[in-house]
Coordinates of all heavy atoms in Angstrom, one line a residue:
K27 N 0.8 -1.2 0.0 CA 0.0 0.0 0.0 C 0.9 1.3 0.0 O 0.6 2.2 -0.8 CB -0.9 0.0 1.2 CG -1.9 1.2 1.3 CD -2.8 1.1 2.4 CE -3.7 2.3 2.4 NZ -4.7 2.2 3.5
R28 N 1.9 1.2 0.8 CA 2.8 2.4 0.9 C 3.5 2.6 -0.4 O 3.6 3.7 -0.9 CB 3.8 2.2 2.0 CG 4.7 3.5 2.2 CD 5.9 3.2 3.0 NE 6.9 2.5 2.1 CZ 7.7 1.6 2.5 NH1 7.8 1.2 3.8 NH2 8.6 1.0 1.7
D29 N 4.0 1.5 -1.0 CA 4.8 1.7 -2.2 C 3.9 2.1 -3.4 O 4.3 3.0 -4.2 CB 5.5 0.3 -2.6 CG 6.6 0.0 -1.7 OD1 7.0 0.9 -0.9 OD2 7.1 -1.1 -1.7
W30 N 2.7 1.6 -3.5 CA 1.8 2.0 -4.6 C 1.4 3.5 -4.3 O 1.2 4.2 -5.3 CB 0.6 1.1 -4.8 CG 0.9 -0.1 -5.6 CD1 0.7 -1.4 -5.2 CD2 1.5 -0.2 -6.9 NE1 1.0 -2.3 -6.2 CE2 1.5 -1.5 -7.3 CE3 1.9 0.8 -7.8 CZ2 2.1 -1.9 -8.5 CZ3 2.4 0.4 -9.0 CH2 2.5 -1.0 -9.3
G31 N 1.2 3.8 -3.1 CA 0.8 5.2 -2.7 C 1.9 6.2 -3.2 O 1.6 7.3 -3.6
R32 N 3.1 5.8 -3.1 CA 4.2 6.6 -3.5 C 4.3 6.6 -5.1 O 4.5 7.7 -5.7 CB 5.5 6.1 -2.9 CG 6.8 7.0 -3.3 CD 8.1 6.3 -2.8 NE 8.3 5.1 -3.5 CZ 8.4 3.9 -3.0 NH1 8.3 3.7 -1.7 NH2 8.6 2.8 -3.7
E33 N 4.3 5.4 -5.7 CA 4.5 5.3 -7.1 C 3.3 5.6 -8.0 O 3.4 6.2 -9.0 CB 4.9 3.9 -7.4 CG 6.3 3.5 -6.9 CD 7.4 4.3 -7.4 OE1 7.4 4.6 -8.6 OE2 8.3 4.7 -6.6
R34 N 2.1 5.3 -7.5 CA 0.9 5.5 -8.2 C -0.3 5.9 -7.3 O -1.2 5.2 -7.0 CB 0.4 4.3 -9.0 CG 1.3 3.9 -10.2 CD 1.2 4.8 -11.4 NE -0.2 5.1 -11.8 CZ -0.8 4.4 -12.8 NH1 -0.2 3.3 -13.3 NH2 -2.0 4.7 -13.1
P35 N -0.2 7.1 -6.7 CA -1.2 7.6 -5.8 C -2.6 7.7 -6.4 O -3.6 7.8 -5.6 CB -0.7 9.0 -5.3 CG 0.3 9.4 -6.4 CD 0.9 8.1 -7.0
D36 N -2.7 7.6 -7.7 CA -4.0 7.7 -8.4 C -4.7 6.4 -8.4 O -5.9 6.3 -8.7 CB -3.8 8.2 -9.8 CG -2.9 7.3 -10.6 OD1 -1.8 7.0 -10.1 OD2 -3.2 6.8 -11.7
I37 N -4.1 5.3 -7.9 CA -4.7 4.0 -8.0 C -5.2 3.6 -6.6 O -4.5 3.7 -5.6 CB -3.6 2.9 -8.4 CG1 -3.1 3.2 -9.7 CG2 -4.2 1.5 -8.3 CD1 -3.9 2.8 -10.9
D38 N -6.5 3.2 -6.5 CA -7.0 2.6 -5.3 C -6.6 1.2 -5.2 O -7.1 0.4 -6.0 CB -8.5 2.8 -5.3 CG -9.2 2.3 -4.0 OD1 -8.5 1.8 -3.1 OD2 -10.4 2.3 -3.9
T39 N -5.8 0.8 -4.2 CA -5.3 -0.5 -4.1 C -6.1 -1.4 -3.1 O -5.7 -2.5 -2.8 CB -3.9 -0.5 -3.5 OG1 -3.8 0.2 -2.3 CG2 -2.9 0.2 -4.5
T40 N -7.3 -0.9 -2.7 CA -8.1 -1.7 -1.8 C -8.4 -3.1 -2.3 O -8.2 -4.1 -1.6 CB -9.4 -1.0 -1.5 OG1 -9.1 0.3 -1.0 CG2 -10.3 -1.7 -0.5
A41 N -8.9 -3.2 -3.5 CA -9.2 -4.6 -4.1 C -7.9 -5.4 -4.2 O -8.0 -6.6 -3.8 CB -9.9 -4.4 -5.4
Q42 N -6.9 -4.9 -4.7 CA -5.6 -5.6 -4.8 C -5.1 -6.1 -3.5 O -4.8 -7.3 -3.3 CB -4.5 -4.7 -5.4 CG -3.2 -5.4 -5.6 CD -2.1 -4.5 -6.1 OE1 -2.0 -3.4 -5.6 NE2 -1.3 -4.9 -7.1
L43 N -5.2 -5.3 -2.4 CA -4.7 -5.7 -1.1 C -5.6 -6.8 -0.5 O -5.1 -7.7 0.1 CB -4.6 -4.5 -0.2 CG -3.6 -3.4 -0.6 CD1 -3.7 -2.2 0.3 CD2 -2.2 -4.0 -0.5
T44 N -6.9 -6.7 -0.8 CA -7.8 -7.7 -0.3 C -7.5 -9.1 -1.0 O -7.4 -10.1 -0.3 CB -9.3 -7.3 -0.6 OG1 -9.5 -6.0 0.1 CG2 -10.2 -8.3 -0.1
V45 N -7.3 -9.1 -2.3 CA -7.1 -10.3 -3.0 C -5.7 -10.9 -2.6 O -5.6 -12.1 -2.3 CB -7.1 -10.1 -4.5 CG1 -6.6 -11.3 -5.3 CG2 -8.6 -9.8 -5.0
I46 N -4.7 -10.1 -2.4 CA -3.4 -10.6 -2.0 C -3.5 -11.2 -0.6 O -3.0 -12.2 -0.3 CB -2.3 -9.4 -2.0 CG1 -2.0 -9.1 -3.5 CG2 -1.1 -9.9 -1.3 CD1 -1.2 -7.8 -3.6
G47 N -4.3 -10.5 0.3 CA -4.5 -11.0 1.6 C -5.2 -12.4 1.6 O -4.8 -13.3 2.3
I48 N -6.1 -12.6 0.7 CA -6.8 -13.9 0.6 C -5.9 -14.9 0.0 O -5.9 -16.1 0.5 CB -8.1 -13.7 -0.3 CG1 -9.1 -12.9 0.5 CG2 -8.7 -15.1 -0.6 CD1 -10.3 -12.4 -0.4
Q49 N -5.1 -14.5 -0.9 CA -4.1 -15.5 -1.5 C -3.1 -15.9 -0.4 O -2.8 -17.1 -0.4 CB -3.4 -14.8 -2.7 CG -4.3 -14.7 -3.9 CD -3.6 -13.9 -5.0 OE1 -2.9 -12.9 -4.8 NE2 -3.8 -14.3 -6.2
R50 N -2.6 -15.0 0.4 CA -1.7 -15.3 1.4 C -2.3 -16.3 2.5 O -1.7 -17.2 2.9 CB -1.2 -14.1 2.1 CG -0.3 -13.2 1.3 CD 1.1 -13.8 1.1 NE 1.8 -13.9 2.4 CZ 3.0 -13.4 2.7 NH1 3.7 -12.7 1.7 NH2 3.6 -13.5 3.8
L51 N -3.6 -15.9 2.8 CA -4.3 -16.8 3.8 C -4.5 -18.2 3.2 O -4.3 -19.2 3.9 CB -5.7 -16.2 4.1 CG -6.6 -17.0 5.0 CD1 -6.0 -17.2 6.3 CD2 -7.9 -16.2 5.2
N52 N -4.8 -18.3 1.9 CA -5.0 -19.6 1.3 C -3.7 -20.4 1.3 O -3.7 -21.6 1.7 CB -5.5 -19.4 -0.2 CG -5.7 -20.7 -0.8 OD1 -6.6 -21.5 -0.4 ND2 -5.1 -21.0 -1.9
A53 N -2.6 -19.7 1.1 CA -1.3 -20.4 1.1 C -1.0 -20.9 2.5 O -0.5 -22.0 2.7 CB -0.2 -19.5 0.6
L54 N -1.3 -20.1 3.5 CA -1.0 -20.5 4.9 C -1.9 -21.6 5.3 O -1.5 -22.6 6.0 CB -1.3 -19.3 5.8 CG -0.3 -18.1 5.7 CD1 -0.8 -16.9 6.4 CD2 1.1 -18.6 6.3
L55 N -3.2 -21.6 4.9 CA -4.1 -22.7 5.2 C -3.7 -24.0 4.5 O -3.7 -25.0 5.1 CB -5.5 -22.3 4.9 CG -6.3 -21.4 5.8 CD1 -7.6 -21.0 5.2 CD2 -6.5 -22.1 7.2
D56 N -3.3 -23.9 3.3 CA -2.8 -25.0 2.5 C -1.6 -25.7 3.3 O -1.6 -26.9 3.5 CB -2.3 -24.7 1.1 CG -3.5 -24.5 0.2 OD1 -4.7 -24.9 0.5 OD2 -3.2 -24.0 -0.9
H57 N -0.7 -24.9 3.7 CA 0.5 -25.4 4.4 C 0.1 -26.1 5.8 O 0.5 -27.2 6.1 CB 1.5 -24.3 4.7 CG 2.6 -24.7 5.6 ND1 3.6 -25.5 5.1 CD2 2.9 -24.5 6.9 CE1 4.5 -25.7 6.1 NE2 4.0 -25.1 7.2
E58 N -0.8 -25.4 6.5 CA -1.3 -26.0 7.8 C -2.0 -27.3 7.5 O -1.8 -28.3 8.3 CB -2.3 -25.0 8.5 CG -1.6 -23.8 9.1 CD -0.8 -24.1 10.3 OE1 -1.1 -25.1 11.0 OE2 0.0 -23.3 10.7
L59 N -2.8 -27.4 6.5 CA -3.6 -28.6 6.3 C -2.7 -29.8 5.8 O -2.8 -30.9 6.2 CB -4.7 -28.4 5.4 CG -5.8 -27.5 5.9 CD1 -6.9 -27.2 4.9 CD2 -6.4 -28.1 7.2
E60 N -1.7 -29.4 4.9 CA -0.8 -30.4 4.4 C 0.0 -31.0 5.5 O 0.2 -32.2 5.6 CB 0.1 -29.8 3.3 CG -0.6 -29.6 2.0 CD 0.1 -28.6 1.0 OE1 1.3 -28.3 1.3 OE2 -0.5 -28.3 0.0
T61 N 0.5 -30.1 6.4 CA 1.2 -30.5 7.6 C 0.4 -31.4 8.5 O 0.9 -32.4 9.0 CB 1.8 -29.3 8.4 OG1 2.6 -28.5 7.5 CG2 2.5 -29.7 9.6
F62 N -0.9 -31.1 8.7 CA -1.8 -31.8 9.6 C -2.0 -33.2 9.0 O -1.9 -34.2 9.7 CB -3.1 -31.1 9.7 CG -4.1 -32.0 10.4 CD1 -4.1 -32.2 11.8 CD2 -5.1 -32.7 9.7 CE1 -5.0 -33.0 12.5 CE2 -6.0 -33.5 10.3 CZ -5.9 -33.7 11.7
F63 N -2.3 -33.4 7.7 CA -2.6 -34.7 7.1 C -1.4 -35.6 6.9 O -1.6 -36.8 6.7 CB -3.4 -34.4 5.8 CG -4.8 -34.0 6.0 CD1 -5.2 -32.7 5.6 CD2 -5.7 -34.8 6.7 CE1 -6.5 -32.3 5.8 CE2 -7.0 -34.4 6.9 CZ -7.4 -33.1 6.5
A64 N -0.2 -35.0 6.8 CA 1.0 -35.8 6.4 C 1.2 -37.0 7.3 O 1.5 -38.1 6.8 CB 2.2 -34.9 6.4
P65 N 1.0 -36.9 8.6 CA 1.3 -38.1 9.5 C 0.3 -39.3 9.2 O 0.6 -40.4 9.6 CB 1.1 -37.6 10.9 CG 1.3 -36.1 10.8 CD 0.8 -35.7 9.5
F66 N -0.8 -39.0 8.5 CA -1.8 -40.0 8.2 C -1.6 -40.5 6.8 O -2.4 -41.3 6.3 CB -3.2 -39.5 8.3 CG -3.5 -38.9 9.7 CD1 -3.5 -37.6 10.0 CD2 -3.8 -39.8 10.8 CE1 -3.7 -37.1 11.2 CE2 -4.0 -39.3 12.0 CZ -4.0 -37.9 12.3
D67 N -0.5 -40.0 6.1 CA -0.2 -40.3 4.7 C -1.3 -39.9 3.9 O -1.7 -40.6 2.9 CB 0.2 -41.8 4.6 CG 0.8 -42.1 3.2 OD1 1.4 -41.2 2.7 OD2 0.7 -43.3 2.7
L68 N -1.9 -38.8 4.2 CA -3.0 -38.2 3.4 C -2.6 -36.8 3.0 O -1.7 -36.2 3.5 CB -4.3 -38.1 4.2 CG -4.9 -39.4 4.7 CD1 -6.1 -39.2 5.7 CD2 -5.5 -40.2 3.5
T69 N -3.3 -36.3 2.0 CA -3.3 -34.9 1.6 C -4.6 -34.3 1.9 O -5.6 -35.0 2.1 CB -2.9 -34.8 0.1 OG1 -4.0 -35.4 -0.7 CG2 -1.6 -35.4 -0.3
P70 N -4.7 -33.0 1.8 CA -6.1 -32.4 2.0 C -7.1 -32.9 0.9 O -8.2 -33.2 1.2 CB -5.9 -30.9 1.8 CG -4.5 -30.7 2.3 CD -3.7 -31.9 1.9
S71 N -6.6 -33.1 -0.3 CA -7.5 -33.6 -1.4 C -7.9 -35.1 -1.2 O -9.0 -35.5 -1.5 CB -6.9 -33.3 -2.7 OG -5.7 -34.0 -2.9
S72 N -6.9 -35.9 -0.7 CA -7.3 -37.3 -0.5 C -8.2 -37.4 0.7 O -9.2 -38.2 0.7 CB -6.1 -38.2 -0.3 OG -5.3 -37.8 0.8
F73 N -8.0 -36.6 1.7 CA -9.0 -36.7 2.8 C -10.3 -36.2 2.4 O -11.4 -36.7 2.9 CB -8.5 -35.8 4.0 CG -9.4 -35.8 5.2 CD1 -9.6 -37.0 5.9 CD2 -10.2 -34.7 5.5 CE1 -10.5 -37.0 7.0 CE2 -11.2 -34.8 6.5 CZ -11.3 -35.9 7.2
D74 N -10.4 -35.2 1.5 CA -11.7 -34.7 1.0 C -12.5 -35.9 0.4 O -13.7 -35.9 0.6 CB -11.4 -33.6 -0.1 CG -12.7 -32.9 -0.5 OD1 -13.7 -32.9 0.3 OD2 -12.7 -32.3 -1.5

């Protein structure tokens, strides 16, 4: 947000920051679930 505010103050980054936040959350959840299922020799998709 700071960098775009400096480089392109005319752009509203609200949507971009929301999507990036969701993508980061998804990556974190994927990691947590993969780690959880590994001891059972499962993946999140196989458990599904």
Side-chain angles (χ1 to χ4, degrees):
K27 182 177 182 176
R28 187 198 75 215
D29 289 351
W30 279 128
R32 182 188 67 241
E33 295 297 321
R34 290 291 306 270
D36 57 310
I37 302 279
D38 179 1
T39 58
T40 303
Q42 180 186 45
L43 295 172
T44 302
V45 171
I46 291 169
I48 292 169
Q49 290 172 319
R50 292 284 298 234
L51 176 59
N52 185 57
L54 291 166
L55 281 172
D56 282 348
H57 174 75
E58 287 286 337
L59 294 176
E60 288 166 6
T61 300
F62 171 80
F63 286 116
F66 304 101
D67 196 24
L68 294 171
T69 63
S71 59
S72 63
F73 180 72
D74 191 21

